[in-house]
């Protein structure tokens, strides 16, 4: 038995699989908790704050794919998806939803353990804190002191105006930001209902995000209202 402070949340509706997985991982020194329904999975992730989520795709209530997508709005730990077959969902789709890895059931205990240990080696330490002046969401980090943005540790080639637009949308992610608010936030731009300058900057920002393969977030146009940064 190894010593571990890591917590693993098992989201699995098959009681026997969940029992055996829990027993095996606890023998290896992990603290575990089991959730058997999709409807309570997101609350369970928030309350238990696990280092790794073992997420079955086929769940009653909210399915695993939707749980994965929604969890990535607030959860920065590792997600290991358990699939019934390799064809259940494509690897690309799983990664786009926010999964870090996946295994096909049935999976042997030592294989599952090896995957979990590999994910934990990739994860940040539990006491990791972002540097002062740095904020992170959707895998994008904004360094406000230097006005630089990064995705997966690669710098995004943004102009100052594009950065400022992204910063504003970042602060209000999931909410509509009006064109007037965008204009006021950018230096040197006075709001004018006929001025398309902000549209040009939004277009430039979208192009830069696409050029850097940012597939976790998208800038949406909300007709007659403004813009919104949300998960892709």
């Amino acid at each position: 038995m190894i010593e571990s402070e890591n917590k693993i949340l098992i989201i699995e509706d098959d009681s026997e699989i969940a029992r055996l997985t829990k027993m095996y991982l606890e023998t290896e020194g992990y603290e575990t908790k089991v959730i058997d329904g999709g409807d309570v999975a997101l609350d369970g992730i928030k309350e238990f704050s696990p280092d790794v989520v073992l997420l079955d795709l086929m769940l009653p209530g909210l399915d695993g794919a939707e749980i994965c997508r929604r969890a990535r709005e607030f959860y920065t730990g590792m997600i290991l998806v358990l699939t019934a077959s390799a064809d259940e969902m494509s690897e690309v789709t799983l990664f786009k939803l926010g999964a870090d890895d996946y295994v096909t059931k049935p999976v042997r205990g030592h294989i599952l353990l090896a995957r979990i240990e590999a994910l934990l080696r990739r994860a940040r330490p539990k006491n990791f804190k972002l540097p002062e002046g740095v904020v992170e969401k959707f895998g994008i980090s904004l360094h406000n002191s230097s006005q630089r943005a990064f995705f997966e540790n690669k710098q995004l080639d943004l102009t100052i105006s594009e950065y400022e637009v992204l910063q504003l949308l970042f602060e209000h992610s999931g909410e509509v930001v009006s064109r007037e608010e965008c204009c006021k936030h950018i230096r040197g731009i006075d709001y004018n209902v006929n001025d398309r300058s902000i549209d040009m900057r939004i277009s430039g920002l979208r192009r830069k995000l696409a050029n850097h393969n940012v597939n976790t977030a998208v800038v949406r146009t909300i007709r007659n209202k403004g813009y919104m940064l949300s998960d892709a």
Side-chain angles (χ1 to χ4, degrees), residues 80-93:
L80 176 58
V81 168
L82 306 177
T83 69
S85 71
D87 298 328
E88 188 171 30
M89 187 170 288
S90 74
E91 180 178 349
V92 171
T93 300

Side-chain angles (χ1 to χ4, degrees), residues 38-220:
D39 291 338
V40 294
L42 294 171
D43 286 338
I45 294 172
K46 291 177 181 177
E47 293 168 6
F48 191 56
S49 188
D51 299 281
V52 177
V53 174
L54 295 186
L55 177 61
D56 184 29
L57 281 185
M58 302 300 292
L59 293 166
L62 206 62
D63 65 36
E66 185 64 11
I67 290 168
C68 189
R69 187 186 70 80
R70 294 192 193 180
R72 279 307 181 209
E73 296 177 3
F74 63 88
Y75 176 65
T76 59
M78 309 304 275
I79 298 178
L80 176 58
V81 168
L82 306 177
T83 69
S85 71
D87 298 328
E88 188 171 30
M89 187 170 288
S90 74
E91 180 178 349
V92 171
T93 300
L94 288 172
F95 290 151
K96 282 186 175 181
L97 288 169
D100 296 288
D101 197 1
Y102 72 96
V103 292
T104 303
K105 296 191 294 185
V107 57
R108 295 183 179 180
H110 70 282
I111 300 274
L112 180 63
L113 184 63
R115 293 293 186 92
I116 290 171
E117 290 174 345
L119 289 177
L120 289 172
R121 285 194 295 270
R122 286 168 49 192
R124 289 171 173 162
K126 294 187 73 173
N127 61 354
F128 176 86
K129 292 184 179 180
L130 288 169
E132 187 175 351
V134 177
V135 290
E136 187 177 68
K137 199 177 295 184
F138 305 118
I140 303 170
S141 61
L142 301 187
H143 296 236
N144 291 323
S145 60
S146 60
Q147 293 193 311
R148 293 185 299 165
F150 295 81
F151 178 67
E152 295 183 343
N153 297 318
K154 295 180 181 179
Q155 185 173 345
L156 306 180
D157 183 25
L158 304 180
T159 67
I160 292 176
S161 293
E162 290 166 352
Y163 179 89
E164 290 174 342
V165 171
L166 179 59
Q167 181 185 44
L168 179 63
L169 296 175
F170 214 76
E171 292 172 356
H172 300 278
S173 61
E175 304 172 6
V176 178
V177 180
S178 70
R179 294 182 74 252
E180 181 178 6
E181 289 176 283
C182 289
C183 288
K184 287 181 177 179
H185 187 72
I186 297 175
R187 296 172 302 197
I189 300 180
D190 295 323
Y191 178 66
N192 183 319
V193 70
N194 296 315
D195 190 346
R196 313 314 296 179
S197 298
I198 187 61
D199 302 317
M200 293 173 59
R201 284 161 174 79
I202 290 288
S203 178
L205 175 59
R206 284 177 174 147
R207 185 173 61 256
K208 299 287 181 65
L209 295 179
N211 289 344
H212 288 85
N213 299 315
V214 177
N215 55 15
T216 54
V218 63
V219 179
R220 304 184 189 277

